[in-house]
Amino acid sequence: MAYRIRTVQADEWLTAKELTLTALTDPVAPIAFATTVQDVAGQPDSFWQERAERVSHGTFARQFIAEGPDGHWAGTVVVLVERPGGEDFFDMPVRSPQAHLVGVFLRPENRGSGLIEQLFEAGMKWAWSLEEPVVGRVRLFVHDDNRRAAAFYRRFGFVATGVTVGADREMEIPRP
């Protein structure tokens, strides 16, 4: 089945919500995500609408999805742009412009299909295309126990930086 990689549109908040809740119930969710299904399941529609709006346009964040010909969303990745003077995902100061990949998820039936590579390529292409700010690297964090994800990140070209936050290890790809 051919999938189209594209960004989420603001009016697709309900489908984005469904995919997020599905991701947060995945067996690896406790080590893969910074939030839990219990944290967000009861949020009002306005929470999901604002979230979809934030990742649908602009230069602060973008959510990419893999959409099948039937409209079914198979997976997603979110690219956050972190700017100097601000704080990153872990409330640490940001020293130079960088992109941070979060919310990586592929439905189990789509794993091993090459879709995650396509999602990462789209996210990275978008991050490198930004003119303001010019991103110097793309990074992500992976939990020590998430070996499958870590192996994929290494195959994709990410390298460990030596930075850790608890059991999460930072990996990066510098700007080409």
Side-chain angles (χ1 to χ4, degrees):
M1 184 182 306
Y3 284 83
R4 181 170 70 120
I5 308 300
R6 66 172 182 83
T7 57
V8 168
Q9 302 303 303
D11 64 350
E12 295 175 312
W13 65 270
L14 197 54
T15 308
K17 173 185 175 180
E18 183 277 325
L19 187 62
T20 299
L21 294 177
T22 298
L24 292 174
T25 60
D26 190 88
V28 298
I31 61 171
F33 299 107
T35 191
T36 68
V37 71
Q38 293 82 9
D39 292 337
V40 296
Q43 292 291 338
D45 289 350
S46 60
F47 170 86
W48 299 100
Q49 291 163 348
E50 291 166 11
R51 189 173 174 158
E53 175 70 24
R54 280 193 311 270
V55 298
S56 68
H57 67 282
T59 61
F60 287 95
R62 200 60 62 90
Q63 182 176 7
F64 293 86
I65 54 112
E67 180 182 44
D70 60 357
H72 180 73
W73 290 9
T76 186
V77 64
V78 176
V79 183
L80 304 175
V81 177
E82 299 168 330
R83 292 168 164 75
E87 294 181 341
D88 70 7
F89 199 72
F90 295 104
D91 299 323
M92 301 296 290
V94 176
R95 306 218 186 285
S96 61
Q98 59 192 12
H100 188 161
L101 302 183
V102 298
V104 178
F105 177 70
L106 201 59
R107 293 181 191 271
E109 64 271 21
N110 298 105
R111 294 176 185 160
S113 67
L115 282 177
I116 198 68
E117 289 88 343
Q118 293 176 46
L119 284 164
F120 268 55
E121 287 166 4
M124 305 249 329
K125 181 179 179 181
W126 177 75
W128 297 140
S129 76
L130 294 173
E131 294 180 13
E132 181 55 41
V134 174
V135 172
R137 70 182 185 142
V138 174
R139 72 179 187 150
L140 52 77
F141 282 82
V142 63
H143 192 280
D144 286 340
D145 294 335
N146 200 346
R147 290 179 184 88
R148 180 184 175 113
F152 165 71
Y153 301 149
R154 282 190 300 275
R155 279 193 315 275
F156 195 82
F158 283 88
V159 295
T161 66
V163 172
T164 60
V165 177
D168 291 313
R169 309 236 172 250
E170 182 187 59
M171 299 179 82
E172 71 174 1
I173 295 178
R175 185 175 192 86

